[in-house]
Amino acid sequence: MEKIAFLGLGRMGLPMARRLADSGHPLTVWNRTAGRAGGLTEAASPAEAAQGAGIVITMLADPAAVEAVAEQVADGLAPGTLWIDMSSIGPAATAALRDRLPDGVALVDAPVLGSVGPAATGGLTVLAGGRTEDLDRAQPMLGALGTVLRCGGPGSGAALKIVVISAMVGGVALVGETLALADSLGLSEELALGVLANGPLGGAVARARSRDSDFPIRLAAKDLGLAGGGPVLTAVRELLLADPDLAEQDLSRIVDAIRR
């Protein structure tokens, strides 16, 4: 198995890194805030973690974080290295990262769908984009983390993640809006949700009612910002940003906020 440098040990990154280590992959990790490695081999810098690694995996918060790490790591990568970016940064930032890498260093974009629980158990859905030979090489690592959906060429995984997350976040906000409407019309929550759950909003209702997911509202707003300036998604993003006290709460809390 190839040596992996895993950069980013946040909510999702740490259980994913542990999953790879438990699967037998030799692993060195780095995180901006030290001391989160939980027994994994920790490097003092991303460049140190990447030294001698054939695979570099990034699971970082946003495009700026990925760019900052690339500035420290990219120029030192040897030809033949494969960078797998699992962050949610959108296709434009993914293309910028690809252009930043030296000749002979390949990139697979592989953001994920799922929360902290599935990250720990290998139950994520991995949206992978890249050249076929690079996807084949990445498959053992990605397959340890979940079900791999090959989306197409470079950038396609990053693009599909933004499409899917926009639909999901917008759907949860719409559930909150429709429940507020039901409240105003004197209808019970149980009745309204029961009917909505059996219709086109069934998936959004399930996510809105989830109590074991951990997708902070601030990250949902960040992802909608990557989607561009469509009027509906712009309005939802503004709603997500309206109450800073909810920033670290799971997305499902936005339903209660809308109904207040």
Side-chain angles (χ1 to χ4, degrees):
M1 291 185 178
E2 297 185 87
K3 178 185 174 183
I4 299 173
F6 195 103
L7 312 179
L9 301 176
R11 280 179 168 89
M12 297 288 288
L14 181 57
M16 290 167 65
R18 285 176 172 160
R19 176 77 183 174
L20 289 171
D22 291 344
S23 299
H25 295 278
L27 197 72
T28 301
V29 302
W30 169 84
N31 191 60
R32 183 177 61 180
T33 302
R36 288 184 52 85
L40 300 173
T41 302
E42 185 174 13
S45 69
E48 179 184 320
Q51 187 173 5
I55 306 290
V56 174
I57 298 177
T58 40
M59 186 61 174
L60 300 165
D62 53 36
V66 173
E67 180 181 2
V69 166
E71 288 180 355
Q72 299 180 60
V73 172
D75 291 341
L77 297 178
T81 304
L82 174 62
W83 189 310
I84 305 173
D85 182 52
M86 307 193 75
S87 320
S88 295
I89 60 173
T94 297
L97 174 60
R98 187 167 59 248
D99 292 342
R100 178 74 175 77
L101 298 179
D103 291 343
V105 176
L107 177 67
V108 163
D109 48 290
V112 301
L113 301 174
S115 191
V116 175
T121 61
L124 298 170
T125 298
V126 183
L127 308 177
R131 300 182 304 176
T132 299
E133 60 268 32
D134 299 328
L135 292 172
D136 289 343
R137 185 177 171 192
Q139 181 65 38
M141 285 71 70
L142 301 183
L145 297 172
T147 301
V148 181
L149 174 62
R150 296 195 179 192
C151 304
S156 59
L160 184 58
K161 172 63 183 287
I162 296 304
V163 169
V164 173
I165 208 71
S166 295
M168 185 270 286
V169 174
V172 171
L174 182 57
V175 169
E177 188 83 359
T178 53
L179 286 180
L181 175 61
D183 293 340
S184 71
L185 295 174
L187 298 172
S188 73
E189 175 180 324
E190 181 180 5
L191 175 62
L193 283 178
V195 175
L196 290 171
N198 289 311
L201 284 177
V205 169
R207 181 59 183 83
R209 301 177 79 177
S210 174
R211 293 297 176 262
D212 57 4
S213 297
D214 187 11
F215 181 36
I217 285 173
R218 64 176 175 83
L219 293 182
K222 179 266 298 182
D223 286 348
L224 291 190
L226 297 173
V232 174
L233 295 181
T234 296
V236 173
R237 184 171 184 269
E238 291 173 354
L239 178 66
L240 295 177
L241 294 172
D243 187 350
D245 291 338
L246 294 178
E248 297 301 328
Q249 300 296 311
D250 180 65
L251 176 64
S252 59
R253 286 293 307 281
I254 201 65
V255 173
D256 295 331
I258 293 171
R259 296 174 71 186
R260 286 202 297 263

